[in-house]
Amino acid sequence: MTRIDWLRLWAALAGFAALSSVLVSLRPILPVDETRYLTVAWEMWQGGSKMVPHLNGDIYGHKPPLLFWLINLVWSVTGVHDWAGRLVGPAFGVISIALTARLARVLWPDAPARAGISALILASGLVFLLFGTATMFDTLLTAAVLLAMLALVNLRHSGGLRPVLMLGFALAFGVLAKGPVVLLHVMPVALLMPLWAEKQTRPALKGWYLSVGLSIAVALGVVLIWLGPALIAGGAEYRDEVLWRQSAGRMVSAFDHKRPLWFFAALLPLYLWPWGWSRESLTRLAPRSMAGTEQGRFLGIWALAVLLAFSAISSKQAHYLVPELPALALLLSGLSMGRVTAMGRIGLALPLMGLGVMAIADWSGLVTLSGDPAMRLTATGMGSVVAVSVSAVTGLYLLRQREGGTILTAAATVLGLHLLVQPILWGQFDPTTIAGYLAAGQAGGIATTDLKYAGQFSYAGRLSQPMTVLGDDAAAQDWLAVHPGGTILTRTELTDPRLSIQHSAEFQGKDYWVYRAGSVQP
């Protein structure tokens, strides 16, 4: 790799790491995903089972334990700090960027520039910046999928035991990260090898599928080291959750996140922004263009097969396709890094101009982004968004090279978006205030009448005990009789004379009240 290629790679890695740190600091711990996952890690940290995750004292079989293990590992070094636990996801975003560059080197050994360019494209993509900086499972799964793809390419060219073991460990890593869904991301490429490998040098089918099968066996063996004891310890409830409900159950009939068939197709412009919004980019993503080379067919099957599979599945979320973003980055890595055309500069500037207009309209009162006028964007916030927008648009004209202008625009857009919605995020989605009142009253016992409580306040308040979920008013009366100094979190106002209100607030657009029994209203 030349000096400029190394600079591109390090710029992608360092830039994403730095921007991740900034974005994490601009957001509270967001419900329900981040609050829930940090609560599961917190309960594990407090002495809960390391094999079977728990949420609010109950078995949590929705996700495997790898993320929670890693957060606990980080806390064992740094202590329990928000920033430490919340940077685990972004750290695997950095790893995914490095693995994308490595895959580019393997796919195009005679075009080293594609490694740095693919890293820059992935690191500055809108969707990767949003979900790759969150405390979620998607960057871990992305790293696992990339390792599997590297193993498949090595298996195709050299064969042998090493890529078989690498593929097996990558699949096991993916299962521990997010479950059997990793097979949906990897197996289309593995099973459809005859469609993407050049016929003249194609591996023998029998040997290929035998190797893939052996890799699956290796993965199963590794996963069983955790899963066997976990299934025994978790009992029938955990077995049903892990083996059926959270995998096949979501595919057959979604109990959550049900979306129409065209959901992912409608989001394609967001997945492609900002690098895929040009004529040259769309040409490279055309089926005819991808079909012309082995690398194009390999990447095309990776991206398109998963897109079609997830479109057919009942449960859909925008972040489900994050592991396919490296495939898009690799396909686009052959873009010419020349000057941005005038139309391209306008297209890149449109989102930033939109942010500036929204900020001005919100500050002036023409449009209210939040239902609470007090949470309207401040003059400082509005000025920050406009300043970012102006500087980025100016940069597009000063840095005429495509990569400089596009990267600057992408980073400024994500920063501007965070600055714009900061008042809403911290006013409506920050759990720390309510959590503080719960923590102050937990010595007398804590309960909630919210039947859908998912740990939103447990980690934020560092609660040392689970919240008792009360099914109805009668259950609340019984609980108060046993806990005369207890604290109750409710979604409705209570008139029980034994209770005094400690705090009331709107959280996630819903009203919450914190009451304490036998106490004087502050």
Side-chain angles (χ1 to χ4, degrees), residues 145 149 152 181-193 195-196 251 261 264-265 268 285 287 290 296-313 316 320-321 323-325 327-328 331:
V145 171
M149 295 303 171
L152 287 172
V181 71
V182 65
L183 297 174
L184 199 57
H185 293 277
V186 175
M187 284 299 106
V189 175
L191 298 179
L192 297 177
M193 181 275 294
L195 296 182
W196 55 264
M251 297 182 186
L261 186 68
F264 289 117
L268 281 178
L285 296 175
M290 289 189 288
R297 293 190 295 272
F298 173 86
L299 297 169
I301 289 175
W302 174 7
L304 294 177
V306 177
L307 171 64
L308 294 174
F310 272 104
S311 296
I313 290 171
K316 300 178 182 69
Y320 286 1
L321 294 186
E324 279 56 65
L325 296 179
L328 291 178
L331 285 167

Side-chain angles (χ1 to χ4, degrees), residues 329-341:
L330 290 162
L331 285 167
L332 295 174
S333 63
L335 291 172
S336 59
M337 293 290 112
R339 293 178 180 270
V340 183
T341 64

Side-chain angles (χ1 to χ4, degrees), residues 103-129:
L103 185 53
R105 287 294 308 276
V106 174
L107 289 174
W108 296 283
D110 297 329
R114 298 189 74 142
I117 294 172
S118 63
L120 285 173
I121 292 174
L122 181 62
S124 56
L126 175 63
V127 174
F128 194 76
L129 280 172

Side-chain angles (χ1 to χ4, degrees), residues 10 16 64 191 214 238 282 291 355 390 420 443 477 515:
W10 284 110
F16 182 83
L191 298 179
L214 181 57
Y238 193 60
L282 295 176
L355 285 173
V390 171
L420 184 66
Q477 298 295 325
Y515 293 94

Side-chain angles (χ1 to χ4, degrees), residues 49 51-52 221-235 238-239:
S49 171
M51 304 301 290
V52 180
V222 174
V223 171
L224 281 176
I225 297 173
W226 157 73
L227 187 59
L231 292 178
I232 295 172
Y238 193 60
R239 288 195 294 270

Side-chain angles (χ1 to χ4, degrees), residues 78-92:
T78 66
V80 179
H81 296 291
D82 289 351
W83 62 267
R86 295 177 69 190
L87 287 179
V88 171
F92 276 87

